[in-house]
PDB file of all heavy atoms in Angstrom:
ATOM      1  N   ASP A 258     101.983 105.141  83.064  1.00 93.00           N
ATOM      2  CA  ASP A 258     101.508 106.268  83.867  1.00 93.00           C
ATOM      3  C   ASP A 258     100.210 105.923  84.578  1.00 93.00           C
ATOM      4  O   ASP A 258      99.991 106.314  85.723  1.00 93.00           O
ATOM      5  CB  ASP A 258     101.295 107.506  82.983  1.00 93.00           C
ATOM      6  CG  ASP A 258     102.618 108.125  82.563  1.00 93.00           C
ATOM      7  OD1 ASP A 258     103.620 107.878  83.253  1.00 93.00           O
ATOM      8  OD2 ASP A 258     102.639 108.829  81.538  1.00 93.00           O
ATOM      9  N   GLU A 265      99.572 105.031  93.313  1.00 85.00           N
ATOM     10  CA  GLU A 265      99.591 106.138  94.274  1.00 85.00           C
ATOM     11  C   GLU A 265      98.270 106.236  95.016  1.00 85.00           C
ATOM     12  O   GLU A 265      98.218 106.361  96.229  1.00 85.00           O
ATOM     13  CB  GLU A 265      99.802 107.469  93.539  1.00 85.00           C
ATOM     14  CG  GLU A 265     101.194 107.702  93.052  1.00 85.00           C
ATOM     15  CD  GLU A 265     102.194 107.762  94.188  1.00 85.00           C
ATOM     16  OE1 GLU A 265     101.845 108.259  95.272  1.00 85.00           O
ATOM     17  OE2 GLU A 265     103.323 107.286  93.973  1.00 85.00           O
ATOM     18  N   ASP A 314     125.668  88.004  96.894  1.00 94.00           N
ATOM     19  CA  ASP A 314     125.152  88.516  98.161  1.00 94.00           C
ATOM     20  C   ASP A 314     124.649  87.364  99.011  1.00 94.00           C
ATOM     21  O   ASP A 314     123.621  86.752  98.712  1.00 94.00           O
ATOM     22  CB  ASP A 314     124.015  89.506  97.877  1.00 94.00           C
ATOM     23  CG  ASP A 314     123.475  90.149  99.145  1.00 94.00           C
ATOM     24  OD1 ASP A 314     123.755  89.647 100.260  1.00 94.00           O
ATOM     25  OD2 ASP A 314     122.759  91.161  99.018  1.00 94.00           O
ATOM     26  N   ASP A 316     123.257  87.435 101.764  1.00 91.00           N
ATOM     27  CA  ASP A 316     121.959  87.714 102.383  1.00 91.00           C
ATOM     28  C   ASP A 316     120.795  87.573 101.407  1.00 91.00           C
ATOM     29  O   ASP A 316     119.646  87.641 101.791  1.00 91.00           O
ATOM     30  CB  ASP A 316     121.932  89.139 102.952  1.00 91.00           C
ATOM     31  CG  ASP A 316     122.903  89.312 104.093  1.00 91.00           C
ATOM     32  OD1 ASP A 316     122.994  88.382 104.921  1.00 91.00           O
ATOM     33  OD2 ASP A 316     123.577  90.358 104.153  1.00 91.00           O
ATOM     34  N   GLU A 320     118.293  94.702  96.084  1.00 96.00           N
ATOM     35  CA  GLU A 320     118.419  96.129  96.336  1.00 96.00           C
ATOM     36  C   GLU A 320     117.893  96.901  95.143  1.00 96.00           C
ATOM     37  O   GLU A 320     118.059  96.502  93.993  1.00 96.00           O
ATOM     38  CB  GLU A 320     119.881  96.495  96.564  1.00 96.00           C
ATOM     39  CG  GLU A 320     120.323  96.222  97.981  1.00 96.00           C
ATOM     40  CD  GLU A 320     121.645  96.896  98.258  1.00 96.00           C
ATOM     41  OE1 GLU A 320     122.658  96.386  97.769  1.00 96.00           O
ATOM     42  OE2 GLU A 320     121.650  97.930  98.939  1.00 96.00           O
ATOM     43  N   ARG A 329     117.506 101.099  98.566  1.00 93.00           N
ATOM     44  CA  ARG A 329     116.630 100.476  99.553  1.00 93.00           C
ATOM     45  C   ARG A 329     116.478  99.021  99.178  1.00 93.00           C
ATOM     46  O   ARG A 329     116.845  98.614  98.074  1.00 93.00           O
ATOM     47  CB  ARG A 329     115.273 101.153  99.553  1.00 93.00           C
ATOM     48  CG  ARG A 329     114.525 100.933  98.244  1.00 93.00           C
ATOM     49  CD  ARG A 329     113.086 101.366  98.340  1.00 93.00           C
ATOM     50  NE  ARG A 329     112.486 101.543  97.046  1.00 93.00           N
ATOM     51  CZ  ARG A 329     111.625 100.694  96.494  1.00 93.00           C
ATOM     52  NH1 ARG A 329     111.299  99.575  97.117  1.00 93.00           N
ATOM     53  NH2 ARG A 329     111.111 100.933  95.312  1.00 93.00           N
ATOM     54  N   LEU A 330     115.929  98.255 100.105  1.00 94.00           N
ATOM     55  CA  LEU A 330     115.655  96.860  99.781  1.00 94.00           C
ATOM     56  C   LEU A 330     114.307  96.785  99.080  1.00 94.00           C
ATOM     57  O   LEU A 330     113.417  97.588  99.339  1.00 94.00           O
ATOM     58  CB  LEU A 330     115.602  96.032 101.069  1.00 94.00           C
ATOM     59  CG  LEU A 330     116.908  95.972 101.869  1.00 94.00           C
ATOM     60  CD1 LEU A 330     116.688  95.188 103.149  1.00 94.00           C
ATOM     61  CD2 LEU A 330     118.004  95.315 101.033  1.00 94.00           C
ATOM     62  N   ILE A 342      94.847 102.623 104.426  1.00 39.00           N
ATOM     63  CA  ILE A 342      93.774 103.120 105.278  1.00 39.00           C
ATOM     64  C   ILE A 342      93.341 104.533 104.906  1.00 39.00           C
ATOM     65  O   ILE A 342      92.191 104.793 104.634  1.00 39.00           O
ATOM     66  CB  ILE A 342      94.212 103.156 106.763  1.00 39.00           C
ATOM     67  CG1 ILE A 342      94.732 101.798 107.201  1.00 39.00           C
ATOM     68  CG2 ILE A 342      93.056 103.610 107.635  1.00 39.00           C
ATOM     69  CD1 ILE A 342      95.304 101.802 108.601  1.00 39.00           C
TER      70      ILE A 342
ATOM     71  N   LYS B  30     102.152 110.679  85.595  1.00 51.00           N
ATOM     72  CA  LYS B  30     103.057 111.522  84.823  1.00 51.00           C
ATOM     73  C   LYS B  30     103.462 112.761  85.623  1.00 51.00           C
ATOM     74  O   LYS B  30     104.621 113.148  85.661  1.00 51.00           O
ATOM     75  CB  LYS B  30     102.307 111.927  83.545  1.00 51.00           C
ATOM     76  CG  LYS B  30     103.131 112.604  82.520  1.00 51.00           C
ATOM     77  CD  LYS B  30     103.472 111.641  81.373  1.00 51.00           C
ATOM     78  CE  LYS B  30     104.418 112.307  80.412  1.00 51.00           C
ATOM     79  NZ  LYS B  30     105.797 111.992  80.700  1.00 51.00           N
ATOM     80  N   LEU B  32     103.529 113.010  88.782  1.00 50.00           N
ATOM     81  CA  LEU B  32     104.416 112.595  89.853  1.00 50.00           C
ATOM     82  C   LEU B  32     105.841 112.450  89.365  1.00 50.00           C
ATOM     83  O   LEU B  32     106.780 112.965  89.960  1.00 50.00           O
ATOM     84  CB  LEU B  32     103.958 111.242  90.404  1.00 50.00           C
ATOM     85  CG  LEU B  32     102.773 111.326  91.344  1.00 50.00           C
ATOM     86  CD1 LEU B  32     102.308 109.935  91.686  1.00 50.00           C
ATOM     87  CD2 LEU B  32     103.172 112.079  92.590  1.00 50.00           C
ATOM     88  N   ARG B  37     108.948 114.071  91.664  1.00 67.00           N
ATOM     89  CA  ARG B  37     109.910 112.982  91.771  1.00 67.00           C
ATOM     90  C   ARG B  37     111.020 113.087  90.741  1.00 67.00           C
ATOM     91  O   ARG B  37     111.657 112.107  90.411  1.00 67.00           O
ATOM     92  CB  ARG B  37     109.184 111.654  91.604  1.00 67.00           C
ATOM     93  CG  ARG B  37     108.262 111.430  92.748  1.00 67.00           C
ATOM     94  CD  ARG B  37     107.759 110.046  92.824  1.00 67.00           C
ATOM     95  NE  ARG B  37     106.808 109.982  93.928  1.00 67.00           N
ATOM     96  CZ  ARG B  37     105.899 109.058  94.048  1.00 67.00           C
ATOM     97  NH1 ARG B  37     105.815 108.105  93.159  1.00 67.00           N
ATOM     98  NH2 ARG B  37     105.083 109.057  95.061  1.00 67.00           N
ATOM     99  N   ARG B  74     111.777 104.258 102.159  1.00 90.00           N
ATOM    100  CA  ARG B  74     111.347 103.737 100.871  1.00 90.00           C
ATOM    101  C   ARG B  74     112.153 104.331  99.724  1.00 90.00           C
ATOM    102  O   ARG B  74     112.386 103.701  98.710  1.00 90.00           O
ATOM    103  CB  ARG B  74     109.859 104.074 100.698  1.00 90.00           C
ATOM    104  CG  ARG B  74     109.233 103.804  99.367  1.00 90.00           C
ATOM    105  CD  ARG B  74     108.664 102.411  99.345  1.00 90.00           C
ATOM    106  NE  ARG B  74     107.951 102.031  98.126  1.00 90.00           N
ATOM    107  CZ  ARG B  74     108.342 102.199  96.891  1.00 90.00           C
ATOM    108  NH1 ARG B  74     109.443 102.862  96.632  1.00 90.00           N
ATOM    109  NH2 ARG B  74     107.635 101.758  95.876  1.00 90.00           N
ATOM    110  N   TYR B 120      90.909  99.336 111.664  1.00 91.00           N
ATOM    111  CA  TYR B 120      91.763  99.307 110.483  1.00 91.00           C
ATOM    112  C   TYR B 120      92.627  98.049 110.511  1.00 91.00           C
ATOM    113  O   TYR B 120      92.982  97.547 111.584  1.00 91.00           O
ATOM    114  CB  TYR B 120      92.675 100.529 110.479  1.00 91.00           C
ATOM    115  CG  TYR B 120      91.940 101.843 110.439  1.00 91.00           C
ATOM    116  CD1 TYR B 120      92.065 102.758 111.475  1.00 91.00           C
ATOM    117  CD2 TYR B 120      91.125 102.163 109.363  1.00 91.00           C
ATOM    118  CE1 TYR B 120      91.400 103.980 111.434  1.00 91.00           C
ATOM    119  CE2 TYR B 120      90.466 103.379 109.321  1.00 91.00           C
ATOM    120  CZ  TYR B 120      90.600 104.281 110.356  1.00 91.00           C
ATOM    121  OH  TYR B 120      89.954 105.488 110.303  1.00 91.00           O
ATOM    122  N   PHE B 392     113.247  98.089 104.279  1.00 92.00           N
ATOM    123  CA  PHE B 392     113.948  98.866 103.265  1.00 92.00           C
ATOM    124  C   PHE B 392     115.441  99.072 103.502  1.00 92.00           C
ATOM    125  O   PHE B 392     116.138  99.472 102.589  1.00 92.00           O
ATOM    126  CB  PHE B 392     113.298 100.244 103.128  1.00 92.00           C
ATOM    127  CG  PHE B 392     111.869 100.193 102.676  1.00 92.00           C
ATOM    128  CD1 PHE B 392     110.873 100.816 103.407  1.00 92.00           C
ATOM    129  CD2 PHE B 392     111.518  99.531 101.512  1.00 92.00           C
ATOM    130  CE1 PHE B 392     109.552 100.775 102.985  1.00 92.00           C
ATOM    131  CE2 PHE B 392     110.204  99.482 101.078  1.00 92.00           C
ATOM    132  CZ  PHE B 392     109.217 100.107 101.821  1.00 92.00           C
ATOM    133  N   ARG B 394     119.081  98.001 104.179  1.00 88.00           N
ATOM    134  CA  ARG B 394     120.049  96.930 104.183  1.00 88.00           C
ATOM    135  C   ARG B 394     120.978  97.012 105.399  1.00 88.00           C
ATOM    136  O   ARG B 394     121.281  96.005 106.030  1.00 88.00           O
ATOM    137  CB  ARG B 394     120.875  97.023 102.904  1.00 88.00           C
ATOM    138  CG  ARG B 394     121.875  95.943 102.787  1.00 88.00           C
ATOM    139  CD  ARG B 394     122.866  96.177 101.688  1.00 88.00           C
ATOM    140  NE  ARG B 394     123.675  94.984 101.670  1.00 88.00           N
ATOM    141  CZ  ARG B 394     123.533  94.029 100.777  1.00 88.00           C
ATOM    142  NH1 ARG B 394     122.684  94.156  99.812  1.00 88.00           N
ATOM    143  NH2 ARG B 394     124.261  92.946 100.855  1.00 88.00           N
ATOM    144  N   ARG B 398     121.596  94.113 108.111  1.00 77.00           N
ATOM    145  CA  ARG B 398     122.952  93.580 108.270  1.00 77.00           C
ATOM    146  C   ARG B 398     123.359  93.554 109.728  1.00 77.00           C
ATOM    147  O   ARG B 398     123.855  92.577 110.251  1.00 77.00           O
ATOM    148  CB  ARG B 398     123.933  94.481 107.500  1.00 77.00           C
ATOM    149  CG  ARG B 398     124.258  93.948 106.159  1.00 77.00           C
ATOM    150  CD  ARG B 398     125.311  92.862 106.318  1.00 77.00           C
ATOM    151  NE  ARG B 398     125.314  91.938 105.197  1.00 77.00           N
ATOM    152  CZ  ARG B 398     125.762  92.242 103.989  1.00 77.00           C
ATOM    153  NH1 ARG B 398     126.209  93.435 103.721  1.00 77.00           N
ATOM    154  NH2 ARG B 398     125.745  91.334 103.049  1.00 77.00           N
TER     155      ARG B 398
END
Side-chain angles (χ1 to χ4, degrees):
Chain A
D258 287 338
E265 285 298 325
D314 183 345
D316 294 319
E320 278 194 285
R329 66 169 163 105
L330 297 177
I342 306 174
Chain B
K30 190 104 186 95
L32 282 173
R37 293 193 184 159
R74 172 90 177 47
Y120 299 118
F392 298 126
R394 182 192 184 103
R398 263 280 157 72

